[in-house]
Amino acid sequence: MRIAVAKEIEVCERRVALNPDTVARLVKQGLEVWVEAGAGERSFFDDAAYVAAGATIVSDSGKLWGETDVLLKVSPPQEREDGRLEIDLLREGAVLISFLNPLGNPVVAQQLVNRKVTALSMELIPRTTRAQSMDALSSQASLAGYKAVLIAAAALPKYFPMLTTAAGTIAPAKVFIMGAGVAGLQAIATARRLGAVVEAFDIRPAVKEEVQSLGAKFVEVKLEEETTAQGGYAKEISEASKQRTQEVVAEHVKNSDVVITTAQVPGRKAPLLVTAEMVAQMKPGSVIVDLAAEQGGNCACTDPGKDIVWNGVTIIGPINLPSSMPVHASQLYSKNLTSLLQLLIKDKALQVDFTDDIIDAACITHAGEIRNQRVKDALQASATQLVRD
């Protein structure tokens, strides 16, 4: 059984699928691990560390992709400089485990089917107690929530904590977190550690106790519809509910020094939470950090990947924040992957067991077919839109 770790070719990706510690554990289990030369450099793990862990360094990417049983990645497969798709380097019957964004870019599923690759998408790991150690969305979202607060604190022209000085008392910063998922909760905890007064909003009333347990005030909006989707994620709500929500949160946005937005719906454009009118009401010098920038943004003024100043308010739309902390991001992701591998590999042999609910949920392609109905629907919708265009 050969497991390979590919070097990420996406420009902004600094993470690596396995770090040397997890490689050593797999080698001790009798598995052969190949690591592409330089795969860990941007995560500060050099080739020598992987060799010491028992891995084989492979310089030829074609050999690594084409001769492995299981290939591990972070970002979805990309187009190479030579014009070929990374997917086309995989041999038929190989297993690919990575973030694949199958709902946002379902075409990748069809490409995997064409190669008869068995693909498991880390985005589709179910949110169950048994799957917690494999939940890469949560592990990476926690990093994003933490870093978002540090970015906001650096951009804010004020202190975060209350300070009593000889020159007078400094009032604490007011921070408003929109979305109390993993990223939002970590943002709350981090802002509180820095001494800010924190409020948080989420359309899911069930998160109220979690918000309050971290020392933040929960801003509640009563909606006459279900707001929690399968797996505990926030559900896309009706236009009437969106309008009601915006009316309630507008005053909190206006009075905040920092607003951090985290609301995302898998496979959909991010919901609009902060309108241009709300931004116009904020104090000059205020800061918005929009963690949903890659999905279009929760703020109407967000420009993905850029920092802009609009009406005196700094609006930051970071892309791939976990990658900015590659050491711990890779460490956590490595643990997620190795936990999943324990389900797939029994007695040093690969066993894709669809009676296991985790494997069944995460596997999007197998034996030349798309297995996930949501991915099938997304692919059909994409094809229909292409015809219309």
Side-chain angles (χ1 to χ4, degrees), residues 40-192:
E41 285 180 353
R42 285 188 286 179
S43 301
F44 304 98
F45 307 120
D46 60 21
D47 289 349
Y50 285 105
V51 171
T56 299
I57 302 299
V58 179
S59 299
D60 184 344
S61 60
K63 176 181 174 68
L64 179 127
W65 282 73
E67 298 182 17
T68 187
D69 298 302
V70 180
L71 187 108
L72 306 178
K73 280 187 93 283
V74 181
S75 294
Q78 309 286 315
E79 182 178 324
R80 291 155 45 98
E81 289 183 356
D82 62 10
R84 295 183 66 189
L85 298 176
E86 286 185 310
I87 288 174
D88 291 339
L89 300 178
L90 282 167
R91 67 172 179 81
E92 290 189 3
V95 174
L96 172 65
I97 307 177
S98 177
F99 284 119
L100 295 172
N101 189 23
L103 299 177
N105 181 27
V107 174
V108 72
Q110 187 58 57
Q111 294 169 340
L112 290 162
V113 164
N114 294 343
R115 291 295 296 168
K116 294 184 173 58
V117 170
T118 295
L120 284 83
S121 176
M122 295 304 287
E123 292 97 333
L124 299 183
I125 295 291
R127 297 191 75 184
T128 61
T129 301
R130 181 167 165 263
Q132 277 184 338
S133 64
M134 309 165 209
D135 187 355
L137 278 182
S138 292
S139 73
Q140 304 304 295
S142 179
L143 291 151
Y146 169 82
K147 193 63 178 282
V149 175
L150 300 187
I151 290 172
L156 186 70
K158 298 180 179 182
Y159 276 119
F160 255 46
M162 183 182 77
L163 294 175
T164 302
T165 75
T169 300
I170 303 293
K174 295 180 180 179
V175 177
F176 186 37
I177 312 293
M178 304 185 75
V182 175
L185 293 172
Q186 183 61 258
I188 291 168
T190 305
R192 289 286 296 141

Side-chain angles (χ1 to χ4, degrees), residues 371-385:
R371 299 191 67 259
N372 186 287
Q373 188 59 49
R374 293 167 67 198
V375 176
K376 287 181 181 179
D377 293 343
L379 186 62
Q380 180 61 44
S382 177
T384 301
Q385 185 62 45

Side-chain angles (χ1 to χ4, degrees), residues 254-266:
K254 175 184 175 181
N255 295 327
S256 298
D257 298 300
V258 170
V259 174
I260 296 175
T261 65
T262 70
Q264 300 181 56
V265 179

